[in-house]
Amino acid sequence: MTSSMDESAQAWTPSDFEARLRAMGETRYHHRHPFHLLMNEGKLSQIQLQAWVLNRYYYQSSIPLKDAALIARCKDQKVRVEWLHRIIDHDGDDDREPGGIDRWLILGEALGLPRTLLLEEQGILPATRFAVDAYVRFVAQGTLLSAIASSLTELFSPQLIQTRVSAMLCHYDFLDEAALAYFSRRPLQAGRDSHFALAYVLEHARTPESQTDVLNALSFKCDVLWAQLDALYYAYVSPGFTPPGAFNP
Amino acid sequence: MTSSMDESAQAWTPSDFEARLRAMGETRYHHRHPFHLLMNEGKLSQIQLQAWVLNRYYYQSSIPLKDAALIARCKDQKVRVEWLHRIIDHDGDDDREPGGIDRWLILGEALGLPRTLLLEEQGILPATRFAVDAYVRFVAQGTLLSAIASSLTELFSPQLIQTRVSAMLCHYDFLDEAALAYFSRRPLQAGRDSHFALAYVLEHARTPESQTDVLNALSFKCDVLWAQLDALYYAYVSPGFTPPGAFNP
């Protein structure tokens, strides 16, 4: 009659648990969202792509804040040292090369969005802000395990990026390889990052409770990504009702 | 009759303001604390030095958390990029070399403190924890200007470190240059860091209110350092009443 007798209270083995996480990506990651499907079929207008890039900039530029928040609450020096390069990946390094945020600005310029428009964070959908801010807060305030687990969507991003880059080069003649420089770096970075995060999670989530926390964190993060595309679809595809103050060229 | 007519409400010029900040260091920085004076006169016992290193380890190991907290709340990418190397200075870089925290552990070992004792953060004085945690919170929750200003004690540290290293090599024969490796890096790092922080503060604090905030932040940080030495003096020098649970060999 104790809860440990209940099958649902058994911990999964690491390999079964990894399979669960990957299965969640299959069903909940935003590669399945209709907005991305339209994008990859070449069916978005330049304005719709602009709206995506503008809103997604808020996500991109919040990632270093999110990663610094994780480091700020992490007493494990090894994790901090491993996590730090994520900030450099996005913010760049003054001595060497631009980071992901600067590369995203290049994508915006290729689409006709002035750099200042993105930098000023004007016209972003409120739903974008709510979702992204919720993600940063989740990482700052939840457990370290959940914070690390919420990055596991990177397990699924290289595949999506590969599909996206091919589709963009094929369908949108205003985009070329230079415009898509952001994406050329991400698969390698995401592979390294998700490798570390997955190993950490498999090592530290060995109880039913902690495995549930990890699954909930990944599910939450999928929701954060999905909600951003829902809002874009609603405002710029169908029904196309743009909220007051949002980007509306 | 408006407050702008009041002389006290005039902003200082940048050079006058810098002089104020430096004057505050002269009177409030912990180079004047009796515990440091004893240290530099060769009058501390090995156990008293151990207590200092053990407690100061808690401060050292919290610095990356403090700096990550600053980055996590900083929307200015240039500041983030500049600030990041502080984390690397303390945490090290897995590919290259150990950071300040590891060098501090070396100092502890030279004094006969096992590395594990420091890593476990056992026996630290409660007052150390309260002061250091207050510093981290101040940086995470105050304004960015105050957070940056609170680092300005680094303006004064190279001088103190120079005095300390000479004194330690002269007075304590259980310490050699290898044991003091932590201090060999700090003056250069502190010089670079305080140069940036001072320039930022002089540029951004142009009103009486913001200049007061900066002075208060520096004063607060001096208190954080001073309070740690007060507690050490009380517990390990005079009257030598060690609180329950604190290091007491």
Side-chain angles (χ1 to χ4, degrees):
Chain A
M1 291 295 287
T2 64
S3 65
S4 65
M5 298 296 286
D6 180 346
E7 189 191 81
S8 69
Q10 302 290 322
W12 286 295
T13 64
S15 64
D16 284 353
F17 186 45
E18 178 177 344
R20 285 254 159 185
L21 292 165
R22 292 189 183 276
M24 181 176 278
E26 268 311 301
T27 55
R28 297 182 70 97
Y29 187 57
H30 64 173
H31 66 308
R32 289 190 176 277
H33 194 283
F35 193 88
H36 274 164
L37 299 181
L38 290 176
M39 186 186 296
N40 291 344
E41 290 161 9
K43 292 182 180 161
L44 293 183
S45 69
Q46 188 167 343
I47 287 174
Q48 289 165 333
L49 285 171
Q50 286 177 334
W52 172 66
V53 165
L54 177 73
N55 278 273
R56 175 92 185 178
Y57 177 78
Y58 186 70
Y59 176 79
Q60 302 293 3
S61 63
S62 296
I63 293 301
L65 310 182
K66 183 272 292 183
D67 288 321
L70 189 144
I71 292 171
R73 43 79 50 84
C74 178
K75 296 285 280 180
D76 184 334
Q77 191 183 15
K78 288 207 179 94
V79 173
R80 290 203 304 267
V81 168
E82 168 58 35
W83 214 263
L84 195 78
H85 71 87
R86 292 173 180 246
I87 299 180
I88 299 170
D89 287 347
H90 278 84
D91 269 342
D93 179 325
D94 49 355
D95 299 331
R96 282 175 272 181
E97 56 175 344
I101 293 174
D102 286 334
R103 291 167 193 271
W104 197 262
L105 292 170
I106 291 168
L107 175 61
E109 287 178 318
L111 283 165
L113 292 173
R115 181 172 279 254
T116 49
L117 186 71
L118 271 64
L119 288 172
E120 287 167 6
E121 298 178 356
Q122 293 298 309
I124 297 166
L125 293 168
T128 302
R129 235 178 251 280
F130 298 152
V132 172
D133 293 352
Y135 180 35
V136 176
R137 224 167 27 242
F138 181 90
V139 168
Q141 298 175 356
T143 64
L144 180 63
L145 180 65
S146 290
I148 291 175
S150 68
S151 75
L152 284 174
T153 44
E154 286 184 322
L155 284 171
F156 320 120
S157 73
Q159 176 72 54
L160 173 58
I161 287 176
Q162 198 178 2
T163 306
R164 177 186 296 155
V165 168
S166 307
M168 282 182 155
L169 291 175
C170 172
H171 295 301
Y172 304 105
D173 54 13
F174 41 87
L175 292 176
D176 58 16
E177 299 236 3
L180 302 178
Y182 173 82
F183 301 112
S184 65
R185 295 298 174 92
R186 284 306 301 155
L188 197 66
Q189 294 169 344
R192 174 184 169 177
D193 292 350
S194 62
H195 180 79
F196 174 83
L198 180 61
Y200 183 93
V201 157
L202 295 181
E203 183 186 338
H204 289 85
R206 298 294 187 109
T207 64
E209 294 75 18
S210 58
Q211 290 181 342
T212 300
D213 288 347
V214 166
L215 284 163
N216 286 343
L218 180 56
S219 172
F220 164 81
K221 172 63 176 302
C222 287
D223 290 348
V224 164
L225 297 173
W226 195 274
Q228 292 176 66
L229 296 181
D230 277 355
L232 281 167
Y233 197 98
Y234 181 88
Y236 298 105
V237 179
S238 172
F241 294 159
T242 315
F247 174 71
N248 194 0
Chain B
M1 290 295 284
T2 64
S3 64
S4 65
M5 298 295 286
D6 181 346
E7 189 191 80
S8 68
Q10 301 291 320
W12 286 295
T13 64
S15 65
D16 285 351
F17 186 45
E18 179 177 343
R20 284 255 160 188
L21 292 166
R22 292 188 183 276
M24 181 175 280
E26 269 312 300
T27 54
R28 297 182 68 96
Y29 187 57
H30 64 173
H31 66 307
R32 290 190 176 277
H33 194 284
F35 194 88
H36 274 163
L37 299 181
L38 290 176
M39 186 186 295
N40 290 345
E41 291 162 7
K43 292 182 179 160
L44 293 184
S45 68
Q46 187 166 343
I47 286 173
Q48 288 166 335
L49 286 171
Q50 285 177 334
W52 173 65
V53 166
L54 178 73
N55 277 274
R56 175 92 185 178
Y57 177 78
Y58 187 71
Y59 176 78
Q60 302 292 2
S61 63
S62 296
I63 294 300
L65 309 183
K66 184 272 293 183
D67 288 321
L70 189 144
I71 293 172
R73 43 78 51 84
C74 177
K75 295 286 279 181
D76 184 333
Q77 190 183 15
K78 287 206 179 96
V79 173
R80 291 203 303 267
V81 169
E82 169 58 35
W83 213 264
L84 195 78
H85 71 87
R86 293 173 179 247
I87 299 180
I88 298 170
D89 287 347
H90 278 84
D91 269 343
D93 180 323
D94 50 357
D95 299 332
R96 282 175 272 181
E97 56 175 343
I101 293 174
D102 285 334
R103 291 167 195 270
W104 197 263
L105 292 171
I106 290 168
L107 175 61
E109 287 179 318
L111 283 165
L113 292 172
R115 181 172 278 252
T116 48
L117 186 72
L118 272 64
L119 288 171
E120 287 166 6
E121 297 179 357
Q122 293 298 309
I124 297 165
L125 293 167
T128 302
R129 233 178 252 280
F130 298 152
V132 172
D133 293 352
Y135 180 35
V136 177
R137 224 166 29 240
F138 182 90
V139 168
Q141 297 175 356
T143 64
L144 181 62
L145 181 64
S146 290
I148 290 174
S150 68
S151 76
L152 284 174
T153 45
E154 286 185 321
L155 284 170
F156 320 120
S157 73
Q159 176 72 55
L160 173 58
I161 287 176
Q162 199 178 359
T163 307
R164 178 185 295 157
V165 168
S166 308
M168 281 184 154
L169 292 174
C170 172
H171 295 304
Y172 304 104
D173 53 13
F174 42 87
L175 293 176
D176 58 16
E177 299 236 5
L180 303 178
Y182 173 81
F183 301 111
S184 65
R185 294 299 175 90
R186 284 307 301 155
L188 197 66
Q189 293 169 342
R192 173 184 170 178
D193 292 350
S194 63
H195 180 80
F196 174 83
L198 180 62
Y200 183 94
V201 157
L202 295 181
E203 183 186 339
H204 290 85
R206 298 295 187 108
T207 65
E209 294 74 18
S210 58
Q211 290 180 342
T212 299
D213 288 347
V214 165
L215 285 164
N216 286 342
L218 180 55
S219 172
F220 164 81
K221 172 63 176 303
C222 288
D223 290 347
V224 165
L225 297 173
W226 195 275
Q228 292 176 66
L229 295 181
D230 278 355
L232 280 167
Y233 196 98
Y234 181 87
Y236 297 105
V237 179
S238 173
F241 295 159
T242 315
F247 175 69
N248 195 359

